[in-house]
Amino acid sequence: MKAIKLSGRERTVIREIDAVSGSTGAELLEKTNLEESDLLGVLTGLITVGLFEAFNEGDSNAVMDDVPLDRLRATRFEVNPAYAQQIREWMRRS
């Protein structure tokens, strides 16, 4: 497993995501107070390195590799199960 090194914005987003059911972009916007483009940038980075997964609204099996800005609010973001344990440990230490 790779070591998790996160920016302040990434830490904020990870702390605010629902660990059980994930969170929509709209929920994360409300909780983090980030601008839409900033939040999308953070989420895209977390998806790119494999820590998060994005799911299309209405189809929980349709993983998205690229989330357009106009779909951010409706997209559900979840912690990648392969990294869930490592993220929980990181959060306990932080």
Side-chain angles (χ1 to χ4, degrees):
M1 289 258 158
K2 58 185 163 186
I4 297 176
K5 296 181 182 177
L6 303 167
S7 71
R9 287 182 178 180
E10 290 167 335
R11 291 171 195 225
T12 298
V13 172
I14 289 174
R15 283 189 183 109
E16 296 301 335
I17 196 161
D18 185 316
V20 176
S21 63
S23 298
T24 64
E27 293 167 337
L28 291 172
L29 282 166
E30 184 178 318
K31 291 177 181 179
T32 63
N33 294 317
L34 292 172
E35 295 293 324
E36 285 187 5
S37 59
D38 291 339
L39 178 61
L40 182 58
V42 169
L43 291 167
T44 299
L46 292 169
I47 291 167
T48 300
V49 298
L51 295 178
F52 273 27
E53 296 177 327
F55 295 92
N56 196 5
E57 177 186 32
D59 187 356
S60 62
N61 296 320
V63 177
M64 301 170 67
D65 291 329
D66 185 37
V67 179
L69 187 59
D70 65 334
R71 303 288 308 150
L72 172 65
R73 290 178 177 272
T75 302
R76 175 158 298 285
F77 298 91
E78 298 179 8
V79 172
N80 181 335
Y83 291 100
Q85 173 92 19
Q86 191 174 3
I87 289 172
R88 277 193 297 270
E89 288 175 16
W90 170 81
M91 289 179 71
R92 257 193 304 254
R93 288 188 309 240
S94 299

